[in-house]
Amino acid sequence: MGRQADQEIVASLGLYPDSNWQRYVQAFGARLAAASERPNLPWTFRVVDDATVNAFAVPGGFIYVTRGILATLNAEAELAGVIGHEIGHALFQHYRFPVHFLLENGDGRLSPLHAMRLYAWKRSAEMSADRVGLLCSQNFDAAANAFFKLSSGITDNSLAFQLNEYIN
C-alpha cells in the first residue's frame, strides 16, 4: 500500500530536483526515525516539488516534506518538529482509522455522530503526532513555530514568537 502510494505521489507531485536537499532530508529523517519505537521500518524521506507549506506520511514509513515548507523553516529544530510529527503519524499508524467502515455501515453518508467521532479522532491523532515532533525537535519554541506555520498557513516570520514568553 505505501510503496504504491509513494509511486503515485512521486508521479503526481514530482521530487524536488535538488539532490543535496534529498540526501539531507533522507539522512536527517533516518537519524530521527532510528531513535523511534520502529527503527527497523524501511523509512523513506522525500522532498516533493510542491510550493505549498505541507508535510505528510503514508503507510510503510514514507514521509514527505514539500519544498514550500523547507523555504519557511528557520532552524533545523523546526524541521525536526515537522518530520518528527510525520514520524508520529507513521508510528501510531493513524492511516488505519476505518473511515470506510463509517461509510459502509450506514447509507453511504457520514452521520453527525460519526462526523464528530472522526473529528475527535483527527484532533487526537494530530496531538499525538505533535508530541513526537516535540520530542524530535527538542526545542519547544522551534517546534511550536513550525506547527504554527503548518496549521495557520502563515509562512513568514512576522508572527515569530517565543512560546514560553507568550505563556508567561
Side-chain angles (χ1 to χ4, degrees):
M1 179 164 61
R3 207 166 296 289
Q4 179 181 346
D6 176 62
Q7 292 172 353
E8 291 172 9
I9 290 164
V10 170
S12 170
L13 298 174
L15 293 178
Y16 186 50
D18 187 325
S19 61
N20 290 328
W21 269 114
Q22 294 294 344
R23 282 192 302 274
Y24 173 77
V25 168
Q26 175 61 40
F28 185 77
R31 280 194 309 273
L32 295 175
S36 76
E37 294 176 6
R38 297 180 70 192
N40 296 324
L41 191 66
W43 295 95
T44 301
F45 299 87
R46 299 185 188 275
V47 182
V48 290
D49 197 10
D50 186 344
T52 60
V53 176
N54 200 9
F56 54 97
V58 298
F62 292 91
I63 309 289
Y64 306 87
V65 295
T66 63
R67 68 176 162 82
I69 196 166
L70 291 177
T72 70
L73 301 177
N74 297 316
E76 197 171 66
E78 288 184 11
L79 179 60
V82 170
I83 290 178
H85 174 95
E86 299 308 327
I87 288 172
H89 283 307
L91 290 175
F92 299 125
Q93 299 179 348
H94 288 149
Y95 57 85
R96 289 184 178 251
F97 186 76
V99 174
H100 62 87
F101 175 80
L102 295 177
L103 294 173
E104 290 170 0
N105 289 304
D107 60 1
R109 293 181 296 153
L110 197 59
S111 73
L113 175 63
H114 287 140
M116 288 307 297
R117 287 181 179 162
L118 180 59
Y119 176 76
W121 172 85
K122 182 182 183 317
R123 291 304 324 137
S124 176
E126 291 302 321
M127 287 189 309
S128 63
D130 284 348
R131 289 184 187 111
V132 176
L134 283 169
L135 288 171
C136 288
S137 175
Q138 298 182 2
N139 181 319
F140 195 71
D141 289 329
N145 280 324
F147 296 159
F148 180 76
K149 288 173 187 176
L150 276 170
S151 64
S152 71
I154 298 173
T155 59
D156 64 21
N157 291 315
S158 62
L159 295 178
F161 60 92
Q162 299 297 313
L163 193 58
N164 288 330
E165 290 176 19
Y166 175 77
I167 291 172
N168 295 329

